[in-house]
């Protein structure tokens, strides 16, 4: 019951990632009832919120001649370009109205620096600039983290891989996630998580 050393990390359940949103993930809203139910079973509940300025470098609209889902080389490696999404202060960046937010102990925003994207809840896409989540969890004695949310093959996977790398017991509940699946990314990221020791459950 509510083990204090176990955290539920709810990734990016925002309007833009749900049907009707700018970067809609198929069935993204269908996971919400289960996610809401899970919250009561964890001593620490964290929500993440993708939170981009309008001039964000991950938006195809900010790269002349580029279309969404193409890639560009950034200083930190290849970056997939997205439709404009989760722009700070817009309705698309709000949490989906069905998601419970009152039980959350922390809301962590990411991707707010124009020059760098941040898929992971722990580090920006250079894999070194921290969001502060690791310090928060460590100082609360959290040893195990369970991930749910959107999207399985991007923000959920990057977060779970970083958690394993940081030494947490990491688990992803795939049935409480939905993915984008760009060029086989669902299978690739699930294989990568399994190799890294992330527990994949339904
Ligand atoms: C995400 C692409 C761009 C995600 C966020 O939440 O998985 N994907 N920004
Ligand atoms: Zn984003």
């Amino acid at each position: 019951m509510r083990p204090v050393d176990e955290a539920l990390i709810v990734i990016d359940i925002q309007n833009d990632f749900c049907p009707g949103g700018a970067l809609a993930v198929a069935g993204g809203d269908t996971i919400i009832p289960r996610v809401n139910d899970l919250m009561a079973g964890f001593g620490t509940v964290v929500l993440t919120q993708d939170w981009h300025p309008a001039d964000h470098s991950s938006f195809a609209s900010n790269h002349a001649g580029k279309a969404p889902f193409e890639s560009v080389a950034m200083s930190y490696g290849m970056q997939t370009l997205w439709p404009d999404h989760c722009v700070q202060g817009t309705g698309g960046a709000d949490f989906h109205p069905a998601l419970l937010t009152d039980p959350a102990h922390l809301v962590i925003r990411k991707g707010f620096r124009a020059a760098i994207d941040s898929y992971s809840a722990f580090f920006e896409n250079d894999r070194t600039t921290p969001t502060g989540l690791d310090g928060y969890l460590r100082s609360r004695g959290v040893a195990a983290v369970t991930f749910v949310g959107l999207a399985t093959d991007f923000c959920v996977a990057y977060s779970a891989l970083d958690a394993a790398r940081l030494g947490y017991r990491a688990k992803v509940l795939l049935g409480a996630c939905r993915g984008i699946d760009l060029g086989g990314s669902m299978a690739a990221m699930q294989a990568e998580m399994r190799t890294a020791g992330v527990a994949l459950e339904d």
Side-chain angles (χ1 to χ4, degrees), residues 143-147 159-164 167-172 197-200:
V145 284
T146 296
F147 295 92
S159 298
L161 288 168
D162 279 343
Y168 295 93
R169 287 201 310 282
K171 182 190 293 187
V172 173
V198 176
L200 301 181

Side-chain angles (χ1 to χ4, degrees), residues 145-188:
V145 284
T146 296
F147 295 92
V148 295
L150 308 171
T152 317
D153 43 345
F154 287 92
C155 290
V156 173
Y158 276 66
S159 298
L161 288 168
D162 279 343
R165 182 161 66 94
L166 289 166
Y168 295 93
R169 287 201 310 282
K171 182 190 293 187
V172 173
L173 298 178
L174 292 171
C177 299
R178 289 293 183 276
I180 296 173
D181 204 13
L182 196 59
S185 55
M186 276 294 261

Side-chain angles (χ1 to χ4, degrees), residues 12 14 17 23 50-52 56 58-59 79 82-83 85-86 110-111 117-119 155:
D12 299 0
Q14 295 166 258
F17 295 122
L23 181 43
D50 214 35
W51 194 249
H52 300 310
H56 197 252
S58 80
F59 295 171
Q79 169 71 50
W82 304 106
H85 65 278
C86 298
K110 61 187 180 60
D117 203 5
S118 185
Y119 293 149
C155 290

